[in-house]
Amino acid sequence: QINQDRLWDSLMEMAKIGATEKGGCARLALTDLDKQGRDLFVQWCKEAGCTITVDRMGNIFARRPGRNNDLPPVVTGSHLDTQPTGGKFDGVFGVLAGLEVIRTLNDYKFETEAPIEVSVWTNEEGSRFAPAMIASGVFGGVFTEEYGHSRADLDGKTIGEELKRIGYFGDAPVGGRPFKAFFEAHIEQGPILEAEDKIIGVVQGIQGIKWFEVTLTGQDCHAGTTPMNRRKDAMLAAARMVDLVNKIALDHLPGVGTVGLMTVHPNSRNVIPGKVFFTVDLRHPYDEELEKMKAALDAGAAKICGNLDVEYDLQEIWNSPAIHYDPACIDAVRKAADEAGLPNRDIVSGAGHDAGYIARVAPVGMIFVPCAEGISHNEIESALPEDLAAGCNVLMRAMVELAA
Amino acid sequence: QINQDRLWDSLMEMAKIGATEKGGCARLALTDLDKQGRDLFVQWCKEAGCTITVDRMGNIFARRPGRNNDLPPVVTGSHLDTQPTGGKFDGVFGVLAGLEVIRTLNDYKFETEAPIEVSVWTNEEGSRFAPAMIASGVFGGVFTEEYGHSRADLDGKTIGEELKRIGYFGDAPVGGRPFKAFFEAHIEQGPILEAEDKIIGVVQGIQGIKWFEVTLTGQDCHAGTTPMNRRKDAMLAAARMVDLVNKIALDHLPGVGTVGLMTVHPNSRNVIPGKVFFTVDLRHPYDEELEKMKAALDAGAAKICGNLDVEYDLQEIWNSPAIHYDPACIDAVRKAADEAGLPNRDIVSGAGHDAGYIARVAPVGMIFVPCAEGISHNEIESALPEDLAAGCNVLMRAMVELAA
Ligand SMILES: NC(=O)NCCC(=O)O
Ligand SMILES: NC(=O)NCCC(=O)O
């Protein structure tokens, strides 16, 4: 049994770094605050007797030796970065649950055959740098290291530069590090477990995700003097595309569609906007349906922009097809939950996770625990100490089984 | 006859201050660049023998004495501030045309009975500080001085602070300065004169303008895990309101409606936006119609936000009813254009102008000249040297007639 209070205290301690007024966290990837969070994690791992490796994407691996250190490790982990108005649990729980597993094994002087590792993956959220899960993506061979280093935030600062700046551009190559298995514990971030009174979600995989960047170009013009029929209004075209994204999702349920980011140029009250940039996030559990959603976006954009005499540039900047986890790892999670007497159900993740890209190079399983009202990517995100402890116990059992 | 080349050269010299790559100007109100533009104007006026007065709203008055300096002056002027992606002529033409009138009268050693003044009005554009024409509005008794000083930009800096910072918080009281008449020369900023091959627009007045600020509050939530039917998507509600504003304008032609400014929170690709702030600009030549447009906005907002479970706050922050200029001043402009043999027509301004607020306290007339394709509030705004010179000649004739 892991130590529920210790896990909770560590979560609350980490949450102080970037704490927001409304009780959330703003610790964006590769900021000074992210560095503080990483430093604290590394310190805790060293205190727990681990050795630390950092790779060239800033991914951190904290290793607890096994009896046979020639065996590939059983690894867990998640991310420490958050959304601008993020919560205290998304990602952080998976990292600190891993640490709690190691601390508990230490308490019991429990030896595993294979080593155990806890990992932290860089820029999982994709908020500061798009796309999400970049560093686990490089690790999984989905992106090149050059691509990973070159991705820039809205101010033009790149991941490579920022990794160097905060001292987390490590020496180790990215990937090529065999894992016996990888498990990630995470809050569900959706409403299903809570609604069904389950404590553990046995994650089957992740739905397909596509991200788009859209730039609409009309013409800046005077809001008072330009007749309605002479306008090339990029804002109006953007607005209709936001509504289109919503309609596409409703036409392809349980798919979802979101416009989360928009910048308007010149952004002046009495100027018809000549340029609008925005992003589109489309998801569906089935890849064929996701392709249909994309086709509807293409067709709708052409129609809307054609009608309004606005030029558009629509780029698919990220495609992450549906992911299916490893049957043996899934079984290990279900078995651990059943043995612990925890009500559980199979579930497909609506959110992307580092585990999804690691599944390209290792057997993967994931453990979900409920969060209040399914709310995440919000400062009020919350989860119960006992549910988090339950998820951590399941994680420990599954890891020990695989590392035994 | 005024000196066309000298007028053009002064316009091009002023345009260097805040020049943009695409040939426009970004000289926002009360920035360091605005100070540079003001300093240059003041220097030129002093070189032309004028005395300078600055009032507590930063409005500048450059006076050329008449034979009888007890008479109220005949005044012209406009503004030197621009939009973020503004042109070289909007406002600046009216200021430098006034200076050119004084320079020409000096050339001919022409004396007027009443003094002549050229004025520069603070923050006409309303881009940095809302609403537009604040300082002429205080002068015209529409706003209090406290209101004028307290208006803040998006960073929270106020007009009062910024006036002090750039050294243009003058001593003179705002208003209470009698004008025999006020004329403003301006580019049309719309397509009518060009389309009809007219060189002079005899401005009858300004259409009614209302500005609104809208804040929509939904709930930040995860874009991947939140089912469509559990969302409170402030972005979607904003998008539908942008489309509503467009529809309202089309239902009330020749009214216009524009959403020019929008900020999204937290503005992250995979977060359903929990808060969106945007502005609405509605205009119509008839006040009753403008009221109907406002009513349609209110009703539409309630419906859209109700449907989407998003809260809204909709504030009318500015109401400028339709303005009608002084018949004698209008006649003086028409007569001057006719006498100079310039094709002209009566026209109603789609844009707001300082002259509109000065019309509350003095007889006012305005002179429009064409601009290419009616494009303004755009870096490519352009006007012909000969049209600008024609407008300046009409201005001089009208002023001299009133000041004779
Ligand atoms: N787990 C999580 O919130 N990941 C962020 C990537 C995404 O799903 O948008
Ligand atoms: N002339 C002009 O562009 N004024 C700005 C105020 C407005 O009409 O929006």
Side-chain angles (χ1 to χ4, degrees):
Chain A
Q1 289 283 322
I2 64 96
N3 183 330
Q4 175 175 319
D5 292 341
R6 183 170 56 191
L7 171 61
W8 183 257
D9 291 346
S10 298
L11 283 163
M12 293 308 111
E13 193 65 28
M14 184 62 78
K16 289 182 187 161
I17 303 174
T20 63
E21 274 179 27
K22 293 188 193 152
C25 253
R27 199 169 54 233
L28 279 97
L30 307 185
T31 55
D32 291 352
L33 291 171
D34 188 17
K35 174 186 162 51
Q36 282 179 45
R38 288 162 173 262
D39 288 351
L40 181 61
F41 168 75
V42 166
Q43 177 200 323
W44 280 341
C45 289
K46 286 184 177 166
E47 287 165 7
C50 297
T51 54
I52 304 292
T53 303
V54 180
D55 74 17
R56 294 169 49 83
M57 282 300 295
N59 299 318
I60 308 171
F61 303 90
R63 185 184 185 98
R64 180 181 191 266
R67 274 187 298 265
N68 179 351
N69 290 306
D70 293 335
L71 289 177
V74 173
V75 186
T76 187
S78 190
H79 58 98
L80 290 175
D81 67 321
T82 78
Q83 291 286 330
T85 54
K88 297 188 282 285
F89 305 99
D90 173 3
V92 189
F93 167 56
V95 172
L96 298 184
L99 174 62
E100 179 55 33
V101 167
I102 287 181
R103 286 171 167 171
T104 303
L105 297 180
N106 288 349
D107 290 345
Y108 292 95
K109 300 197 168 43
F110 190 98
E111 289 198 340
T112 52
E113 187 67 18
I116 298 262
E117 283 187 7
V118 188
S119 54
V120 173
W121 304 91
T122 298
N123 190 62
E124 191 271 350
E125 292 290 358
S127 180
R128 180 168 178 204
F129 305 98
M133 288 94 69
I134 290 181
S136 51
V138 176
F139 190 94
V142 180
F143 308 127
T144 65
E145 201 176 301
E146 295 69 50
Y147 176 84
H149 288 154
S150 71
R151 300 300 292 170
D153 65 12
L154 290 181
D155 295 332
K157 292 188 187 142
T158 66
I159 290 186
E161 288 158 20
E162 288 290 277
L163 276 173
K164 283 188 186 136
R165 190 183 66 78
I166 68 163
Y168 275 90
F169 194 117
D171 295 326
V174 189
R177 202 180 163 84
F179 292 174
K180 173 126 196 257
F182 182 86
F183 292 98
E184 182 171 355
H186 209 283
I187 56 167
E188 179 198 341
Q189 307 185 279
I192 298 170
L193 295 178
E194 188 184 57
E196 297 188 8
D197 269 331
K198 306 288 189 200
I199 293 179
I200 299 294
V202 181
V203 186
Q204 308 296 301
I206 303 181
Q207 66 180 340
I209 310 175
K210 282 181 188 289
W211 279 8
F212 303 85
E213 291 185 348
V214 187
T215 305
L216 301 179
T217 309
Q219 184 172 54
D220 298 354
C221 227
H222 197 296
T225 55
T226 311
M228 296 307 288
N229 62 2
R230 288 179 69 111
R231 297 180 171 217
K232 299 180 183 175
D233 186 341
M235 180 79 245
L236 180 60
R240 290 191 179 161
M241 283 192 66
V242 171
D243 212 357
L244 169 73
V245 166
N246 182 65
K247 187 176 176 318
I248 289 172
L250 295 177
D251 288 347
H252 296 82
L253 291 175
V256 288
T258 308
V259 174
L261 182 151
M262 182 178 286
T263 57
V264 177
H265 185 84
N267 219 33
S268 182
R269 292 160 200 257
N270 44 2
V271 184
I272 301 158
K275 190 164 279 191
V276 176
F277 172 85
F278 64 95
T279 61
V280 178
D281 176 316
L282 296 180
R283 309 195 187 198
H284 200 286
Y286 299 115
D287 290 331
E288 321 79 69
E289 291 297 302
L290 188 56
E291 292 302 333
K292 283 188 203 155
M293 292 171 79
K294 171 189 158 83
L297 182 65
D298 282 333
K303 203 166 144 189
I304 288 167
C305 296
N307 283 340
L308 295 175
D309 203 6
V310 164
E311 285 169 39
Y312 73 98
D313 176 68
L314 176 95
Q315 302 283 348
E316 180 181 307
I317 63 145
W318 185 35
N319 179 36
S320 174
I323 290 158
H324 306 283
Y325 289 149
D326 176 72
C329 290
I330 294 174
D331 285 347
V333 171
R334 192 183 296 108
K335 195 176 140 212
D338 285 341
E339 284 178 5
L342 294 164
N344 62 78
R345 63 161 277 169
D346 290 359
I347 192 167
V348 172
S349 177
H353 294 286
D354 294 307
Y357 278 147
I358 295 159
R360 304 272 185 131
V361 290
V364 162
M366 267 189 90
I367 301 144
F368 275 174
V369 295
C371 59
E373 288 181 63
I375 294 172
S376 184
H377 286 191
N378 188 310
E379 292 160 270
I380 65 168
E381 178 186 271
S382 97
L384 297 174
E386 53 271 32
D387 291 347
L388 298 167
C392 188
N393 273 319
V394 171
L395 174 67
M396 183 167 69
R397 281 166 186 265
M399 289 185 79
V400 166
E401 179 182 326
L402 272 283
Chain B
Q1 290 284 320
I2 63 97
N3 182 331
Q4 176 175 317
D5 291 342
R6 183 170 55 191
L7 172 61
W8 184 257
D9 291 347
S10 297
L11 283 163
M12 293 307 112
E13 193 64 27
M14 184 63 79
K16 288 182 187 162
I17 301 173
T20 63
E21 273 180 28
K22 292 186 193 153
C25 252
R27 199 168 56 234
L28 279 99
L30 308 185
T31 55
D32 291 352
L33 291 169
D34 187 16
K35 174 186 161 55
Q36 283 179 45
R38 288 163 173 263
D39 288 351
L40 180 60
F41 169 75
V42 166
Q43 176 201 324
W44 280 340
C45 290
K46 287 185 175 163
E47 287 165 9
C50 297
T51 54
I52 304 291
T53 304
V54 179
D55 75 16
R56 295 169 49 84
M57 281 300 294
N59 300 317
I60 308 172
F61 304 89
R63 184 183 185 100
R64 180 180 190 265
R67 276 187 297 264
N68 179 352
N69 290 307
D70 292 336
L71 290 176
V74 174
V75 185
T76 186
S78 190
H79 59 97
L80 290 174
D81 67 320
T82 77
Q83 291 286 332
T85 54
K88 297 188 282 285
F89 304 100
D90 173 3
V92 190
F93 167 57
V95 172
L96 298 184
L99 174 62
E100 179 54 34
V101 167
I102 287 182
R103 285 171 167 170
T104 302
L105 296 180
N106 288 350
D107 290 345
Y108 292 95
K109 298 199 171 38
F110 188 98
E111 289 198 338
T112 53
E113 188 66 18
I116 297 263
E117 282 187 6
V118 188
S119 55
V120 174
W121 303 91
T122 297
N123 190 61
E124 191 273 349
E125 292 291 357
S127 179
R128 181 168 176 205
F129 304 99
M133 286 95 69
I134 291 181
S136 51
V138 176
F139 189 93
V142 180
F143 307 126
T144 64
E145 200 177 301
E146 295 68 52
Y147 176 84
H149 288 154
S150 71
R151 300 300 293 170
D153 65 11
L154 290 182
D155 295 333
K157 292 187 187 143
T158 66
I159 290 186
E161 288 160 18
E162 288 292 276
L163 278 172
K164 284 189 186 138
R165 191 184 65 80
I166 68 163
Y168 275 90
F169 195 116
D171 294 326
V174 188
R177 202 181 164 83
F179 292 175
K180 172 124 196 260
F182 182 85
F183 292 99
E184 181 171 355
H186 208 284
I187 55 167
E188 179 198 341
Q189 309 184 277
I192 299 169
L193 295 178
E194 188 184 58
E196 296 188 11
D197 269 331
K198 307 288 189 202
I199 292 177
I200 299 295
V202 181
V203 185
Q204 308 296 302
I206 302 181
Q207 66 180 340
I209 310 175
K210 281 181 189 291
W211 278 9
F212 303 86
E213 290 185 349
V214 187
T215 304
L216 302 178
T217 308
Q219 184 172 55
D220 300 354
C221 226
H222 197 294
T225 55
T226 312
M228 295 309 287
N229 63 2
R230 288 179 71 111
R231 297 179 171 219
K232 299 180 183 177
D233 186 341
M235 180 79 245
L236 180 61
R240 291 192 179 160
M241 283 193 67
V242 170
D243 212 358
L244 168 72
V245 165
N246 181 65
K247 188 178 176 314
I248 290 171
L250 295 177
D251 288 346
H252 296 82
L253 291 175
V256 288
T258 308
V259 174
L261 183 152
M262 184 178 285
T263 56
V264 178
H265 186 84
N267 219 29
S268 182
R269 293 160 199 256
N270 44 2
V271 184
I272 301 158
K275 190 163 279 190
V276 176
F277 172 86
F278 65 96
T279 61
V280 179
D281 176 317
L282 296 181
R283 308 195 189 199
H284 200 286
Y286 299 115
D287 290 330
E288 320 78 70
E289 291 296 302
L290 189 55
E291 292 302 334
K292 284 188 202 155
M293 292 170 80
K294 172 190 157 85
L297 182 66
D298 281 334
K303 202 166 145 189
I304 289 166
C305 295
N307 283 341
L308 294 174
D309 203 6
V310 164
E311 285 169 40
Y312 73 100
D313 176 67
L314 176 93
Q315 302 284 347
E316 180 181 307
I317 63 144
W318 184 35
N319 179 37
S320 175
I323 289 158
H324 306 283
Y325 288 149
D326 176 70
C329 291
I330 293 174
D331 284 348
V333 170
R334 192 184 296 107
K335 194 175 140 213
D338 285 340
E339 283 177 6
L342 293 164
N344 63 77
R345 62 161 277 169
D346 290 359
I347 192 167
V348 172
S349 177
H353 294 286
D354 294 307
Y357 279 145
I358 294 160
R360 304 273 184 131
V361 290
V364 161
M366 267 189 90
I367 300 145
F368 274 174
V369 296
C371 60
E373 290 181 62
I375 294 171
S376 183
H377 287 190
N378 188 311
E379 292 160 271
I380 64 167
E381 179 186 86
S382 98
L384 296 175
E386 52 271 31
D387 291 347
L388 298 167
C392 188
N393 274 317
V394 170
L395 174 67
M396 183 167 67
R397 281 166 185 265
M399 290 184 79
V400 166
E401 179 181 324
L402 272 283

